[in-house]
């Protein structure tokens, strides 16, 4: 691995992020990434976070049009409540703070505790839980569905709503609507390797793949012999559509898990678009790339979000972050 020692991986990455992005304030010691112009007067602030290893999620999504701050934990480990409270205090303008929380047990518990502590300090807090993964209902990491690719949709669309100056309850309502209309399914062609362990998180023999994986390297719901890109697209899209009956056009995220090159992701997207067309699902927008990753895992996930005119306008609104930017 291109690291010094496992113990300093996150701190080293944050130092490098600070050097590359002067538009952010990166507190390496306290593990908080904040947009430099925060707090923005009259604006609801969005704060999210989670274990490191999913980059650019979440720190790479801090900036105008998206998150106000992010809290990176250790690799695949939830950040602690003190980080979240520190982030909320740094970005709160008095209009309130929305916590965007992926449905993993550690994240949920720590953000709940942070919300209580922040409110004790006079900060108004609302929380939205992202639980879009249709592959697994319960796992070692969560009760209920896992939060995966829809996190990007929630942070982008709710972030645009906050930029418009909407009050906290309306920003929260938009975030909940995006989550309720989003579903994801992922597949791994290889396991990932954490810096501390130095070996794959699960055993996946050559010539096999894992269907329904999560973003922490946890295995999925079924193992099969290697399939073609088109066959994988059919399994992923059909699993989503079995749970999400699109009444409107959809946003599509074809997301790489960290080690899959764009050549393959674009080819996979072509198959996803074919399957959606065959199933009669209209597509409004498509995003392809590595956005919600799992270290060096080879594989991909598909996320669909039913979208109306309002949500589409918020999706198209300008955004300027290290990991996502357009319109500015």
């Amino acid at each position: 691995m291109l690291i010094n020692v496992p113990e300093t991986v996150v701190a080293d990455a944050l130092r490098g992020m600070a050097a590359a992005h002067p538009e952010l304030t990166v507190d390496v010691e306290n593990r908080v990434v904040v947009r430099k112009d925060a707090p923005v007067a009259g604006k609801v602030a969005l704060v999210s976070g989670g274990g490191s290893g999913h980059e650019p999620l979440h720190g790479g999504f801090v900036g105008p049009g998206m998150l106000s701050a992010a809290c990176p934990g250790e690799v695949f480990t939830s950040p602690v409540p003190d980080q979240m409270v520190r982030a909320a205090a740094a970005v709160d303008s008095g209009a309130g703070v929305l916590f965007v929380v992926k449905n993993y047990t550690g994240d949920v518990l720590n953000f709940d505790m942070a919300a209580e502590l922040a409110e004790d300090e006079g900060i108004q807090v609302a929380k939205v839980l992202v639980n879009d993964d249709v592959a697994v209902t319960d796992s070692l990491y969560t009760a209920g569905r896992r939060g995966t690719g829809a996190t990007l949709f929630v942070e982008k669309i709710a972030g645009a709503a906050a930029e418009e100056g909407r009050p906290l309850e309306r920003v929260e309502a938009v975030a909940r609507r995006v989550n309720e209309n989003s579903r994801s399914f992922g597949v791994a062609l290889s396991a990932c390797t954490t810096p501390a362990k130095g070996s794959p998180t699960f055993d996946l023999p050559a010539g096999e793949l894992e269907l329904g994986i999560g973003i922490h390297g946890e295995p999925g719901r079924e193992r099969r012999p290697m399939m073609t890109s088109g066959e994988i697209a059919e399994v992923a899209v059909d699993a989503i559509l079995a749970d999400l009956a699109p009444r409107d056009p959809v946003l599509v995220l074809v997301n790489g898990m960290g080690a899959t090159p764009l050549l393959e992701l674009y080819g996979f997207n072509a198959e996803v678009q074919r399957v959606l067309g065959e199933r009669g699902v209209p597509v409004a927008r498509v995003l392809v790339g590595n956005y919600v990753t799992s270290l060096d895992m080879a594989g991909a996930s598909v996320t669909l979000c039913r979208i109306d005119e309002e949500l589409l306008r918020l999706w198209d609104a300008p955004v300027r972050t290290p990991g996502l930017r357009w319109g500015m």
Side-chain angles (χ1 to χ4, degrees):
M1 294 183 177
L2 190 63
I3 65 174
N4 292 316
V5 293
E7 293 76 14
T8 66
V9 166
V10 176
D12 291 345
L14 289 174
R15 289 191 296 106
M17 186 178 199
H21 296 286
E23 71 276 16
L24 301 177
T25 299
V26 181
D27 185 339
V28 177
E29 181 180 355
N30 294 301
R31 307 287 174 90
V32 176
V33 180
V34 179
R35 53 184 282 184
K36 186 150 280 184
D37 60 351
V40 179
K43 177 187 172 300
V44 169
L46 269 68
V47 174
S48 192
S52 296
H54 306 305
E55 289 74 22
L57 188 81
H58 293 275
F61 296 149
V62 174
M66 230 166 157
L67 294 177
S68 305
C71 311
E74 291 297 327
V75 173
F76 291 175
T77 302
S78 172
V80 297
D82 283 352
Q83 290 175 260
M84 302 163 185
V85 174
R86 194 182 303 272
V91 299
D92 179 40
S93 67
V97 175
L98 178 67
F99 283 165
V100 179
V101 187
K102 300 189 304 303
N103 190 29
Y104 293 94
T105 301
D107 290 359
V108 172
L109 291 174
N110 287 348
F111 269 105
D112 283 348
M113 187 180 301
E116 294 178 4
L117 294 171
E119 287 170 349
D120 288 342
E121 295 185 9
I123 301 171
Q124 184 183 6
V125 176
K127 303 188 298 293
V128 170
L129 189 69
V130 182
N131 56 352
D132 55 303
D133 184 11
V134 302
V136 177
T137 301
D138 293 293
S139 72
L140 294 174
Y141 292 83
T142 183
R145 290 180 168 176
R146 302 174 294 207
T148 57
T151 312
L152 183 151
F153 288 160
V154 171
E155 292 177 354
K156 170 62 186 77
I157 293 174
E163 291 289 346
E164 290 185 347
R166 298 190 191 188
L168 181 59
E169 62 272 15
R170 290 186 60 199
V171 176
E172 177 189 4
V174 165
R176 291 188 185 280
R177 184 147 58 100
V178 173
N179 178 66
E180 290 165 0
N181 283 281
S182 298
R183 301 290 188 277
S184 296
F185 189 92
V187 58
L189 310 181
S190 72
C192 65
T193 299
T194 61
K197 186 177 181 183
S199 60
T201 54
F202 61 92
D203 178 40
L204 185 58
E208 295 186 1
L209 53 76
E210 190 87 22
L211 297 172
I213 49 89
I215 60 172
H216 294 95
E218 65 269 42
R221 66 181 184 182
E222 183 181 359
R223 185 167 294 183
R224 292 189 189 179
M226 189 60 66
M227 302 159 64
T228 67
S229 177
E231 291 168 338
I232 294 171
E234 290 174 357
V235 170
V237 172
D238 286 344
I240 293 171
L241 295 182
D243 197 83
L244 182 79
R247 300 180 298 271
D248 302 301
V250 295
L251 288 177
V252 181
L253 170 62
V254 172
N255 172 68
M257 301 307 296
T260 302
L262 276 171
L263 179 70
E264 296 177 32
L265 289 177
Y266 279 122
F268 183 52
N269 179 54
E271 297 299 331
V272 169
Q273 300 303 315
R274 172 186 62 80
V275 177
L276 289 171
E278 291 173 354
R279 306 298 188 265
V281 179
V283 174
R285 299 287 187 275
V286 182
L287 183 65
V288 179
N290 289 283
Y291 294 102
V292 184
T293 62
S294 185
L295 292 170
D296 61 342
M297 179 184 286
S301 63
V302 178
T303 303
L304 304 182
C305 176
R306 293 184 303 215
I307 197 159
D308 56 23
E309 289 184 5
E310 180 195 16
L311 296 184
L312 183 60
R313 181 181 61 78
L314 292 170
W315 173 257
D316 286 340
V319 60
R320 188 171 73 248
T321 72
L324 201 69
R325 59 178 61 210
W326 57 69
M328 287 186 174

